[in-house]
């Protein structure tokens, strides 16, 4: 459930996401925003889902990022979107999951890296071309997006 207040928290209204997902993270800047979560299934059937809004969270639309990894965090700055999560179930070859979009979610690119952690926990943009992701066991990496 996503609740929205337009009166500094005096009242709250439920906003509509049509699917039943377990929400993990939400980011809003102005009228644009993203939410990530998972379908609530366990083991190999757990799939990540992304939703976006362009009307301050009044309505949400599902976004196809081209991957089904379990998702944990999202950040948004200008037209850049970053999403983190974990590798697919029982896939020990691929490192944990980081994707980004340079065009507001129209096209997504996966960040390849050699940093094996038990999963990424948080993401934040530090400027218009760089973001930091942090994971378990104190792992932190900076990703720079090239044009």
């Amino acid at each position: 459930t996503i609740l929205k207040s337009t009166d500094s928290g005096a009242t709250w209204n439920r906003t509509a996401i049509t699917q039943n997902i377990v929400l993990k993270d939400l980011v809003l800047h102005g009228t644009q925003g993203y939410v990530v979560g998972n379908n609530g299934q366990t083991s190999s059937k757990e799939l990540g889902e992304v939703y976006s809004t362009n009307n301050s969270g009044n309505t949400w639309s599902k976004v196809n990022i081209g991957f089904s990894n379990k998702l944990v965090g999202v950040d948004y700055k200008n037209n850049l979107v970053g999403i983190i999560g974990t590798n697919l179930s029982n896939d020990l070859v691929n490192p944990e999951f980081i994707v980004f979009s340079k065009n507001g979610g129209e096209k997504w690119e996966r960040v390849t890296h050699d940093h094996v952690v038990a999963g990424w926990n948080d993401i934040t943009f530090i400027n218009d071309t760089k973001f930091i992701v942090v994971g378990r066991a104190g792992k932190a990496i900076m990703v720079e997006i090239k044009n």
Side-chain angles (χ1 to χ4, degrees):
T1 298
I2 296 177
L3 300 175
K4 178 182 175 181
S5 176
T6 57
D7 57 8
S8 300
T11 60
W12 293 88
N13 296 303
R14 186 179 292 228
T15 63
I17 289 185
T18 57
Q19 301 297 317
N20 187 19
I21 67 168
V22 178
L23 300 174
K24 294 296 183 177
D25 199 11
L26 174 135
V27 62
L28 281 172
H29 290 285
T31 60
Q32 185 69 35
Y34 292 86
V35 64
V36 296
N38 303 294
N39 64 1
Q41 302 294 315
T42 57
S43 70
S44 63
K45 294 182 180 180
E46 186 169 29
L47 303 174
E49 296 184 7
V50 179
Y51 292 83
S52 69
T53 183
N54 58 11
N55 58 15
S56 302
N58 291 321
T59 58
W60 295 87
S61 301
K62 190 170 183 177
V63 176
N64 181 1
I65 62 171
F67 303 95
S68 59
N69 295 63
K70 179 180 174 185
L71 303 177
V72 177
V74 61
D75 197 18
Y76 174 73
K77 184 176 178 101
N78 297 329
N79 234 4
L80 298 173
V81 185
I83 295 175
I84 58 169
T86 62
N87 62 329
L88 294 174
S89 264
N90 300 318
D91 183 354
L92 302 178
V93 176
N94 290 315
E96 279 65 30
F97 184 73
I98 304 170
V99 294
F100 69 92
S101 172
K102 296 187 274 190
N103 53 15
E106 291 180 31
K107 181 180 176 192
W108 295 89
E109 299 177 45
R110 185 169 178 168
V111 175
T112 57
H113 59 85
D114 296 325
H115 306 284
V116 177
V117 296
W120 296 114
N121 296 324
D122 203 5
I123 178 173
T124 190
F125 278 96
I126 56 174
N127 64 33
D128 288 345
T129 61
K130 295 178 185 174
F131 60 90
I132 294 177
V133 295
V134 294
R136 294 192 180 122
K139 184 67 73 176
I141 65 170
M142 183 178 67
V143 176
E144 183 171 6
I145 298 171
K146 305 282 184 181
N147 286 333

